[in-house]
Amino acid sequence: MVPTRAQSPRVNRRGVPLHASSGDDVGGRADRARECGVRVVGDPHSGYAAGMTSPSPRPPAPSETTGEPDSLTRADRLRRLAVVVAEIFCLVGTLVGIGVIGQRVEESAGGALSDDATLIAPAGPAFSIWTPIYLGLLAYTVWQFVPRNAGRSRTRATGWLAAASMVLNAVWLLVTQQGWIWVSVVVIVALLVVLVVLVSRLGRERATDGWERLTVDVTFGLYLGWVSVATFANIAAALVDSGNDVGVGSNAAVAVAVLTIVALVGVTLARSLGGRWSVAFAMAWGLAWITVGRFTDEPRSAATGIAAAVAAVIVLLAAAGSRGRARGAWTR
């Protein structure tokens, strides 16, 4: 009788026979699972209860490691950084404009831009509107840098325009320091165009909360309204500085004509932008201070003062009427 060779039992890596018992079957399956990279419940090396498996952990998403949405593109990051740089440049220009670095605006360009240089120059207190505008621009810079805001279509449509407006603001202040009054007209007209486009784009999407409405809609609405009046005052200052003085009576007639155009611009903006109160308020603010200036300071002109007051009322009524026709819109 030929002796048969005993077959060696199958063992796992630790030398434990496989399929020896139900418990051994579980152990064998666990070994094979571990070899495939699957965590096993009940395995002393995995910390799970017997016989259960768990998939390998997924790698972290980019948003979990960077804190930014997955949809934030390279263009978004570049744009929000450009806005920060533009805001810093704007702050430098502001320091120049208020006299911390250079001359104050009313003293630059030979006084051509002072509050008594022309008939349609607003009285001094009118310029305090720059305080909420500059604070709003600073708040906007912070708001647009937040990742969840930077990737929104509203920010993408307006971010570069906001940066351009800040740069143009600073350039205007620097240009007036050099006395280049007609160059300042070109700059402020460009600024007006940029702001019109920017505010019109804000109407494409509703603000998500009150803070955004205040930081974005109200800030750029005030900005646009004030620059609309300031543009005409700047043009008048350039004309007077160039020696275009046609006499007291004729100057008043020209001033009334210009204020009529300002009122028409206000009506047009109200209709095209849905009657934004911030735009209308800033325009009415500037016009009201023209009225104050012409009745209380030189050069005095009752006709100009009355025309400015009427223009302010027209602008506010136009905004109210436009909001009534566009009731339910998210204009501010």
Side-chain angles (χ1 to χ4, degrees), residues 84-174:
V84 172
V85 174
E87 169 64 10
I88 295 173
F89 184 42
C90 185
L91 289 175
V92 173
T94 302
L95 294 177
V96 173
I98 63 177
V100 174
I101 298 177
Q103 288 182 319
R104 294 184 300 171
V105 171
E106 57 268 31
E107 298 171 353
S108 62
L113 298 169
S114 63
D115 57 3
D116 59 357
T118 69
L119 287 175
I120 60 173
F127 298 93
S128 62
I129 196 174
W130 279 115
T131 298
I133 292 174
Y134 282 138
L135 290 176
L137 291 176
L138 180 59
Y140 170 80
T141 301
V142 176
W143 176 86
Q144 64 86 37
F145 199 85
V146 176
R148 68 173 179 270
N149 298 327
R152 291 179 51 193
S153 59
R154 199 173 202 230
T155 313
R156 288 169 174 168
T158 59
W160 284 109
L161 292 171
S165 74
M166 297 176 193
V167 171
L168 287 170
N169 188 305
V171 169
W172 186 89
L173 291 166
L174 296 175

Side-chain angles (χ1 to χ4, degrees), residues 85-326:
V85 174
E87 169 64 10
I88 295 173
F89 184 42
C90 185
L91 289 175
V92 173
T94 302
L95 294 177
V96 173
I98 63 177
V100 174
I101 298 177
Q103 288 182 319
R104 294 184 300 171
V105 171
E106 57 268 31
E107 298 171 353
S108 62
L113 298 169
S114 63
D115 57 3
D116 59 357
T118 69
L119 287 175
I120 60 173
F127 298 93
S128 62
I129 196 174
W130 279 115
T131 298
I133 292 174
Y134 282 138
L135 290 176
L137 291 176
L138 180 59
Y140 170 80
T141 301
V142 176
W143 176 86
Q144 64 86 37
F145 199 85
V146 176
R148 68 173 179 270
N149 298 327
R152 291 179 51 193
S153 59
R154 199 173 202 230
T155 313
R156 288 169 174 168
T158 59
W160 284 109
L161 292 171
S165 74
M166 297 176 193
V167 171
L168 287 170
N169 188 305
V171 169
W172 186 89
L173 291 166
L174 296 175
V175 162
T176 58
Q177 292 288 309
Q178 304 302 317
W180 300 338
I181 190 70
W182 279 107
V183 176
S184 72
V185 170
V186 174
V187 175
I188 200 169
V189 169
L191 174 58
L192 177 60
V193 172
V194 167
L195 290 173
V196 168
V197 176
L198 189 158
V199 176
S200 66
R201 290 185 179 182
L202 289 178
R204 298 177 182 176
E205 183 182 341
R206 183 191 299 267
T208 58
D209 53 40
W211 177 246
E212 178 184 344
R213 192 173 299 113
L214 178 64
T215 301
V216 183
D217 296 74
V218 173
T219 294
F220 287 102
L222 292 175
Y223 200 179
L224 170 59
W226 173 255
V227 170
S228 298
V229 175
T231 298
F232 288 93
N234 199 161
I235 294 172
L239 289 171
V240 172
D241 186 63
S242 300
N244 295 289
D245 190 341
V246 292
V248 177
S250 298
N251 282 343
V254 172
V256 170
V258 172
L259 291 169
T260 301
I261 297 174
V262 174
L264 291 175
V265 169
V267 172
T268 302
L269 290 176
R271 291 182 174 179
S272 61
L273 301 177
R276 289 178 175 266
W277 280 125
S278 54
V279 177
F281 171 80
M283 291 193 70
W285 172 269
L287 290 166
W289 282 107
I290 293 175
T291 298
V292 172
R294 298 298 67 79
F295 278 107
T296 63
D297 197 3
E298 297 296 336
R300 294 178 182 270
S301 172
T304 303
I306 293 172
V310 172
V313 173
I314 291 174
V315 169
L316 292 173
L317 290 177
S322 297
R323 289 179 68 86
R325 286 190 296 270

